[in-house]
């Protein structure tokens, strides 16, 4: 069985990807990051005394449609230093040789 991933962990992974893309440096084009939309299928369930938790559900996870909900988050990243729009650079390849930022929208 696959490990459960919470919404906070999914958003944190996105944050790490944006930080990696911004660290590209160099003279290549820089892009302002506009609103980022994330849409998840989540399973809501009670976890002991911890209250209700929302887990991201993968396609074909075998959960009943009754317990699965759609959640859409619209995030607008801001530079924590300047408070202005966040920018990413696409001229630095990642460990696979792919240029960072080139996977957005896939």
């Amino acid at each position: 069985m696959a490990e459960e991933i919470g919404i906070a962990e999914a958003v944190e992974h996105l944050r790490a990807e944006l930080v990696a893309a911004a660290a590209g440096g160099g003279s290549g084009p820089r892009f302002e990051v506009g609103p980022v939309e994330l849409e998840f299928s989540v399973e809501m369930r009670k976890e002991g005394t911890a209250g209700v938790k929302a887990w991201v559900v993968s396609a074909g996870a075998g959960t009943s449609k009754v317990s699965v909900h759609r959640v859409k988050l619209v995030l607008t990243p801001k530079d924590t230093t300047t408070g202005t729009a966040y920018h990413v650079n696409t001229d630095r390849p990642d460990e696979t040789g792919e240029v960072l930022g080139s996977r957005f929208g896939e």
Side-chain angles (χ1 to χ4, degrees):
M1 182 174 174
E3 184 178 339
E4 296 170 328
I5 299 173
I7 293 174
E9 186 177 353
V11 171
E12 183 58 37
H13 181 74
L14 173 65
R15 178 182 290 118
E17 289 288 325
L18 287 171
V19 168
S27 60
R30 292 188 57 80
F31 299 99
E32 180 177 316
V33 178
V36 177
E37 294 186 14
L38 303 172
E39 191 167 322
F40 302 103
S41 291
V42 297
E43 180 181 350
M44 304 290 285
R45 66 176 177 225
K46 196 163 194 158
E47 291 282 317
T49 60
V52 176
K53 293 210 175 195
W55 301 105
V56 175
V57 178
S58 64
T63 59
S64 69
K65 287 192 179 270
V66 174
S67 66
V68 175
H69 307 274
R70 307 261 328 145
V71 175
K72 181 177 180 179
L73 303 175
V74 179
L75 309 171
T76 305
K78 298 285 183 184
D79 186 304
T80 56
T81 305
T82 65
T84 59
Y86 200 74
H87 292 82
V88 295
N89 197 330
T90 62
D91 66 351
R92 187 183 66 152
D94 66 12
E95 64 277 356
T96 67
E98 188 172 347
V99 176
L100 287 175
S102 64
R103 291 177 291 181
F104 281 103
E106 287 185 356

